[in-house]
Amino acid sequence: MPVEARKGALICDRCYRSLRRHLEDAADLIGHLRSIADPTKAAVYDRVSTGGSRPDIPAPVSADLIDSSNDIMKTLREWALRVQFPDQGWRAMGLEAGIDAAAAYDDAAGCADVILADFERLVNTVDVKLLGDAVLTRHDLRAPVPWWSVADGLARWSLEDNRARWATTPCPDCGSKTVLVMPPRRVGMSARYACKSCAFDKTDRDDGGFWAEAFAEEIPEAKPLPHDPRRLTLTQAAKLVGRTTGTVRGWVKSGDLTGEMGRYWEADVQAVAAQRRGEGVAA
Ligand SMILES: [Zn+2]
Ligand SMILES: [Zn+2]
């Protein structure tokens, strides 16, 4: 029996939610894949290709890590281009060799944002079937896969930090221990605390951040960092010091600026910019 399509969409409700969630998770996945592919956080491939003076032997990197981050990035870029320039031919490229986790995350998040911003329209076009295939196709991961979907990547390397869990703290409204703690789906989004027994449903931003405190113990690895306004995206960092994103990315690549998951401390950015000015370095 055919499943009823979601109202105003060509796919069913379940696929709609699944597709949306996978797109929201895609950038975190890319960042995660790059950070495990590149444990030193240095540009392993650059070192190989330039045959530089450093004697370090690059850690072996699983081909799956490279292939999956490459395929998923291609999907994101292709769809971001399709959404922005529907009438043009597009040929999206995979991940640049040696790109670090932060820059890869930034890039992927930018693409996912473009797609998600147009999501409600997209799900009502025939394109949604193609997008659904690219994102949700599940291959048998016990054998080499022909290509990696976002769902394949998430199945193979789960984003543990993003898993919802039951709070040990009882619900402040009904007293049941049935509050589900849902960490932010991605950097910049809210954590959510929802009781399954009553209508209690709050985010970490509600009531001046009170609930984030109340349920803090539930997310031990929760970093207050992503919500700190002094943590900047690559674009914000570039704007702050009046440079291009390419320049700031160069600082990241050269190791002068270190960030985490595509965010950089405001003070670090300013320090590197000041240092570069002092040295009279053009870029
Ligand atoms: Zn469906
Ligand atoms: Zn409750």
Side-chain angles (χ1 to χ4, degrees):
M1 203 177 84
V3 182
E4 201 180 322
R6 182 187 168 87
K7 204 161 175 267
L10 293 178
I11 48 174
C12 79
D13 216 42
R14 199 171 147 207
C15 291
Y16 172 93
R17 282 198 305 269
S18 180
L19 185 53
R20 190 169 188 108
R21 199 172 55 241
H22 280 76
L23 285 168
E24 286 171 356
D25 280 348
D28 279 330
L29 176 64
I30 294 269
H32 180 56
L33 293 174
R34 280 309 308 169
S35 61
I36 31 182
D38 191 2
T40 61
K41 305 251 175 177
V44 171
Y45 302 99
D46 286 0
R47 239 184 280 154
V48 176
S49 59
T50 57
S53 54
R54 300 189 57 170
D56 322 24
I57 296 166
V61 174
S62 142
D64 280 354
L65 284 175
I66 303 297
D67 291 348
S68 58
S69 52
N70 215 36
D71 287 353
I72 293 166
M73 193 67 209
K74 240 185 227 169
T75 294
L76 292 174
R77 284 179 174 165
E78 181 190 317
W79 280 90
L81 286 171
R82 265 188 198 235
V83 164
Q84 292 176 97
F85 314 105
D87 300 325
Q88 293 175 26
W90 11 253
R91 194 173 35 192
M93 303 205 307
L95 222 43
E96 291 73 14
I99 190 168
D100 77 347
Y105 170 87
D106 241 18
D107 200 326
C111 293
D113 282 348
V114 168
I115 301 165
L116 285 166
D118 205 32
F119 195 69
E120 295 303 324
R121 188 194 62 81
L122 259 180
V123 295
N124 208 11
T125 70
V126 288
D127 278 354
V128 73
K129 302 274 184 197
L130 292 172
L131 178 62
D133 279 349
V135 173
L136 297 177
T137 295
R138 283 293 309 274
H139 294 104
D140 182 352
L141 298 179
R142 288 167 301 183
V145 298
W147 56 274
W148 290 82
S149 70
V150 178
D152 287 335
L154 287 167
R156 172 78 172 72
W157 295 279
S158 62
L159 297 170
E160 296 285 345
D161 296 2
N162 279 359
R163 290 247 176 96
R165 69 209 85 189
W166 297 104
T168 52
T169 309
C171 171
D173 282 1
C174 73
S176 308
K177 285 195 174 181
T178 51
V179 176
L180 199 55
V181 177
M182 289 162 271
R185 301 297 307 179
R186 50 185 282 213
V187 175
M189 292 179 80
S190 297
R192 200 173 142 212
Y193 319 101
C195 179
K196 294 297 156 190
S197 306
C198 73
F200 178 81
D201 191 346
K202 297 284 185 184
T203 76
D204 56 356
R205 291 170 203 191
D206 291 340
D207 305 312
F210 177 81
W211 302 108
E213 293 270 300
F215 291 102
E217 60 180 310
E218 310 298 345
I219 313 178
E221 67 276 58
K223 303 158 192 131
L225 299 178
H227 298 298
D228 192 314
R230 291 167 304 167
R231 303 236 316 151
L232 310 172
T233 63
L234 201 66
T235 312
Q236 289 168 334
K239 201 174 272 176
L240 175 76
V241 293
R243 302 299 186 93
T244 65
T245 51
T247 298
V248 178
R249 191 165 289 169
W251 297 346
V252 175
K253 221 168 172 184
S254 67
D256 291 326
L257 181 64
T258 48
E260 191 193 351
M261 296 307 284
R263 299 275 163 160
Y264 309 91
W265 283 106
E266 191 179 278
D268 290 349
V269 176
Q270 280 165 331
V272 176
Q275 187 199 350
R276 290 297 173 107
R277 266 196 300 273
E279 289 169 0
V281 176

